[in-house]
Amino acid sequence: MRVGTSMFSLSRVLSSSALIAIVLLPAIGRCDDGIVVYNAQHESLTKAWAEGFTKETGIAVTLRKGSDTEFANQIVQEGKASPADVFVTENSPAMALVDRAGLFEPLSSETRAEVPAAFQPANGHWIGVAARSTVFAYDKTKLKEADLPASIVDLSDPIWKGRWAASPSGADFQAIVAAMLTLKGEDATLAWLTAMKTNAVPYKGNSTAMKAVNAGAIEGAVIYHYYYFGDQAKTGENSGNVGLHYFRHQDPGAFVSISGAGVLASSQHKEEAERFVKWIAGKGGQSVLRDGDSFEYAVGVDAVSNPALTPLADLQAPTVTPDALDSAKVSELMTKAGLL
């Protein structure tokens, strides 16, 4: 299904509604039996992590499901009264938002040692636990490799008008924009977003955008890699006509987004909470990524990702400091460009 440009206006309405929803999220009492995790990661992945951790340690885990933006803002609002012990995200801008509010408990050196320095902030307040790569999913029946953009920046060219898609209201795409902001600066990012308003067709969700590519409704879409691999591992019905283009060459379009986990300073179970964070970053949690069906990259020291994936080292991703990603500035620029 192709969604018209009127969706940009709808995205602005939805964004405003989401902010209201954050305020209305009910406070949930503290859990005296184990730990409470505010989970913005994929539900099935974090459930597998929680079950593996509980089986090994005997510590119960209660999962609360929400989005990166919802929970980050809720934690800031709850402050010292937050009932959560751990925050787990899909993308690092939400972690940076909570960290800037001073709401994370610093992690021990033993926990931080589970993951290379590139996948964690220098201050040691949280840690990377998984990663996902930006890709350009394209219709193989319409485009050949030679037809594809060399850089994600090239999608601002008028020749791409009406030919590519994205999900601008989602945290995934906004993390990609945050990386571009860090790498290219505010003026270049705003120019690209302004061109996107003209060129791109907005969809609600990466999977919907990929389905549109597969169905021939649009020629390409900027998404994360695992949507393709997850569909291929099932029936392939939504990705049979889809190819993946990796921008590489340290391009902003080769951005690898880090999923984070951290212990909240307000936690009444800090020892158990840090054991959970260390477990998912360590061999137990990283083996779930290798053997499971999330198709996200493992990031632990010497960890191996699912063999179906293009090796992380081959992606030639740009160097982006994970705690430098500015979600507030991204929202400002995307709103100014008319995308939110």
Side-chain angles (χ1 to χ4, degrees):
M1 179 181 72
R2 179 169 174 165
V3 182
T5 55
S6 62
M7 274 296 290
F8 284 113
S9 297
L10 178 58
S11 293
R12 182 179 296 176
V13 173
L14 290 173
S15 179
S16 298
S17 299
L19 289 174
I20 295 171
I22 292 164
V23 178
L24 297 179
L25 282 172
I28 302 167
R30 296 185 186 275
C31 178
D32 293 325
D33 181 21
I35 60 173
V36 173
V37 175
Y38 277 7
N39 175 42
Q41 245 291 358
H42 291 175
E43 189 170 9
S44 59
L45 172 58
T46 313
K47 182 181 178 182
W49 277 338
E51 289 175 348
F53 172 75
T54 299
K55 182 178 180 180
E56 186 171 314
T57 66
I59 300 170
V61 178
T62 299
L63 300 175
R64 310 295 188 196
K65 178 61 179 171
S67 72
D68 279 3
T69 303
E70 281 179 344
F71 272 145
N73 281 282
Q74 182 171 338
I75 290 168
V76 170
Q77 290 166 2
E78 291 171 341
K80 295 180 180 179
S82 179
D85 299 292
V86 175
F87 183 33
V88 178
T89 67
E90 291 187 338
N91 300 283
S92 62
M95 302 298 291
L97 179 63
V98 172
D99 196 16
R100 289 187 189 111
L103 297 175
F104 279 130
E105 182 76 8
L107 297 173
S108 68
S109 58
E110 290 80 6
T111 296
R112 296 179 63 194
E114 296 289 352
V115 174
F119 297 112
Q120 56 180 296
N123 66 13
H125 291 179
W126 57 272
I127 197 168
V129 292
R132 58 272 301 278
S133 172
T134 310
V135 295
F136 188 67
Y138 66 95
D139 185 343
K140 295 186 296 185
T141 70
K142 295 180 179 179
L143 298 174
K144 297 181 174 61
E145 277 285 343
D147 303 321
L148 300 174
S151 167
I152 195 172
V153 178
D154 294 342
L155 293 172
S156 63
D157 192 295
I159 65 171
W160 283 100
K161 183 176 181 179
R163 298 173 60 196
W164 70 282
S167 178
S169 63
D172 288 352
F173 185 78
Q174 291 175 23
I176 296 169
V177 177
M180 180 176 288
L181 177 62
T182 298
L183 295 164
K184 295 295 186 180
E186 184 173 334
D187 291 344
T189 302
L190 180 58
W192 188 80
L193 291 171
T194 301
M196 177 183 169
K197 176 68 166 67
T198 300
N199 286 0
V201 179
Y203 286 82
K204 185 67 175 177
N206 286 329
S207 59
T208 304
M210 185 184 73
K211 289 177 185 178
V213 173
N214 187 65
I218 196 77
E219 292 179 53
V222 175
I223 63 172
Y224 281 150
H225 76 279
Y226 58 83
Y227 292 94
Y228 170 84
F229 288 99
D231 189 72
Q232 285 284 297
K234 296 175 183 176
T235 64
E237 61 183 325
N238 297 311
S239 59
N241 295 326
V242 174
L244 294 188
H245 174 54
Y246 294 89
F247 290 103
R248 294 188 167 90
H249 309 295
Q250 291 74 51
D251 188 78
F255 168 61
V256 170
S257 182
I258 299 171
S259 301
V263 177
L264 295 180
S266 58
S267 171
Q268 300 298 304
H269 311 93
K270 289 187 177 68
E271 181 180 347
E272 294 87 350
E274 180 155 356
R275 286 183 68 184
F276 177 73
V277 171
K278 184 179 181 181
W279 191 90
I280 62 177
K283 291 182 180 179
Q286 297 299 287
S287 67
V288 172
L289 294 171
R290 180 194 63 210
D291 303 330
D293 58 4
S294 72
F295 293 98
E296 295 189 47
Y297 283 99
V299 297
V301 172
D302 297 328
V304 177
S305 299
N306 190 298
L309 303 181
T310 299
L312 194 58
D314 292 348
L315 300 180
Q316 299 174 13
T319 300
V320 177
T321 304
D323 53 343
L325 300 182
D326 190 341
S327 57
K329 177 58 72 172
V330 166
S331 295
E332 177 188 324
L333 294 179
M334 292 186 71
T335 299
K336 189 172 184 178
L339 297 171
L340 295 178

